[in-house]
Amino acid sequence: MNFLAHIYLSGDNDLIKIGNFMADGIRGKHYEYLPAEVQKGVVLHRAIDTYTDAHPIFRQSTKRLHQRYHHYAGVIVDVFYDHFLAKNWANYSNEKLENFVERFYQSLDTHQEILTEKTVHMKPYMIQHNWLVNYQHTQGIARILTQMDHRTKDVSLMQYAIEELEQYYVEFEREFTAFFQDLIAYVQLKNTEL
């Protein structure tokens, strides 16, 4: 899952959200200096990723992309799934997406001192281009995929994946909806262990 799903699945605790959000940039156990709730967010993020990568529905989505994008297929599906979460946000939350995202941005400002260097560097671009809200639009997804492709020196070809999103839109959305229900149930169970 990508940023929006990880933040959403963190519940109402700002520090768990921040840990879950920053976790991709943290290697090994290099998070043990962070506050306990942030550490929980990192652990939750890793559990979500492990569950997602092994889930048959997620794998079905990635299979559609493997031939063209190889090991980047999973990254692309993560972004696609965030699109469907943002687009169908009202099915998962009573709070408007814009308000949810604004509160998250404010929490990043409030807890600036615990953010990783990578997060501090990325935050202004994320807020300026309002990535999380713009996930609901295919143009926003196209922009994100292009930026990600440029970070791989255009080797991943991710900028072209919007073509598959449009071609198989109904299938990807159906798969996301079924998968996300399973993921929500998994996270609820996992939270009782943390």
Side-chain angles (χ1 to χ4, degrees):
M1 302 307 296
N2 207 41
F3 293 136
L4 183 60
H6 278 291
I7 298 163
Y8 170 79
L9 292 165
S10 297
D12 292 327
N13 184 307
D14 283 350
L15 293 180
I16 292 176
K17 285 180 184 177
I18 289 171
N20 203 337
F21 171 69
M22 295 192 307
D24 270 337
I26 298 173
R27 299 289 164 242
K29 298 225 177 223
H30 294 136
Y31 60 90
E32 293 180 332
Y33 70 94
L34 293 165
E37 299 296 298
V38 178
Q39 291 183 40
K40 282 184 186 177
V42 174
V43 171
L44 179 59
H45 179 107
R46 292 176 177 180
I48 289 168
D49 280 358
T50 299
Y51 178 85
T52 298
D53 290 344
H55 198 286
I57 296 174
F58 183 82
R59 292 169 71 94
Q60 184 177 328
S61 290
T62 61
K63 196 178 291 184
R64 204 174 280 119
L65 302 173
H66 269 298
Q67 186 173 354
R68 189 175 189 188
Y69 304 103
H70 311 289
H71 67 274
Y72 294 104
V75 176
I76 294 166
V77 173
D78 283 343
V79 175
F80 287 0
Y81 279 15
D82 254 18
H83 164 66
F84 292 115
L85 174 57
K87 176 190 168 222
N88 299 298
W89 184 258
N91 295 338
Y92 302 101
S93 177
N94 294 324
E95 182 177 17
K96 285 183 64 176
L97 176 61
E98 292 77 6
N99 296 343
F100 175 86
V101 168
E102 183 56 36
R103 280 194 309 111
F104 177 68
Y105 292 157
Q106 288 172 1
S107 76
L108 291 177
D109 286 339
T110 301
H111 300 286
Q112 178 84 15
E113 74 284 353
I114 62 171
L115 302 182
T116 61
E117 189 176 321
K118 181 178 178 181
T119 304
V120 169
H121 176 72
M122 178 179 63
K123 186 180 77 158
Y125 301 101
M126 180 182 195
I127 294 171
Q128 179 186 353
H129 299 288
N130 209 356
W131 292 351
L132 301 177
V133 170
N134 284 320
Y135 281 162
Q136 65 189 307
H137 310 293
T138 53
Q139 313 94 278
I141 295 300
R143 191 175 313 113
I144 291 292
L145 291 168
T146 298
Q147 290 168 352
M148 292 169 74
D149 193 22
H150 291 331
R151 282 203 300 268
T152 70
K153 308 230 184 303
D154 301 330
V155 169
S156 70
L157 305 177
M158 282 191 270
Q159 64 183 299
Y160 303 109
I162 198 70
E163 296 168 10
E164 282 83 3
L165 177 61
E166 290 169 349
Q167 183 178 357
Y168 300 106
Y169 196 87
V170 172
E171 292 88 342
F172 280 124
E173 185 165 22
R174 189 183 318 118
E175 289 160 2
F176 162 77
T177 303
F179 165 75
F180 204 59
Q181 290 307 316
D182 288 352
L183 181 58
I184 289 169
Y186 169 77
V187 168
Q188 287 171 346
L189 186 64
K190 190 70 184 169
N191 278 332
T192 64
E193 300 171 9
L194 293 177

